[in-house]
């Protein structure tokens, strides 16, 4: 069984928003990947970006800089 760790999770209203986040993070060299939204969180499109907690500040800056359509940013153990 995989070890559960704290992650920074970014949720989106739409799948298009999730895909824009993936593309922007790849271009910026930020860590993470798209995963299904954990049950503890609700989100419109069912997908979220999960990254190490250390990347939270950089992700927040990217969201503001690129005007990405996010629903919320959470710290959660998954």
């Amino acid at each position: 069984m995989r070890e559960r760790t704290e992650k920074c999770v970014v949720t989106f209203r739409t799948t298009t928003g999730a895909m824009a986040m993936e593309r922007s993070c790849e271009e910026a060299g930020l860590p993470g990947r798209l995963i299904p939204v954990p049950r503890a969180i609700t989100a419109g499109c069912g997908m979220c970006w999960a990254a190490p907690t250390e990347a939270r500040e950089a992700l927040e800056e990217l969201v503001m800089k690129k005007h990405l359509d996010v629903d919320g940013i959470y710290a959660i153990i998954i």
Side-chain angles (χ1 to χ4, degrees), residues 5-74:
T5 58
E6 186 175 36
K7 298 283 186 191
C8 175
V9 173
V10 183
T11 59
F12 309 93
R13 292 180 189 91
T14 65
T15 303
T16 304
M19 293 170 65
M21 179 72 165
E22 181 180 40
R23 184 174 46 257
S24 295
C25 285
E26 287 175 356
E27 289 172 358
L30 294 176
R33 64 187 179 107
L34 287 175
I35 65 168
V37 176
R39 293 181 192 177
I41 302 173
T42 58
C45 79
M47 296 174 71
C48 68
W49 184 259
T53 55
E54 307 85 50
R56 183 176 182 139
E57 189 174 318
L59 291 172
E60 289 173 346
E61 289 175 10
L62 181 70
V63 166
M64 290 189 301
K65 179 181 175 184
K66 297 273 188 168
H67 305 288
L68 298 172
D69 185 22
V70 302
D71 192 34
I73 300 176
Y74 306 89

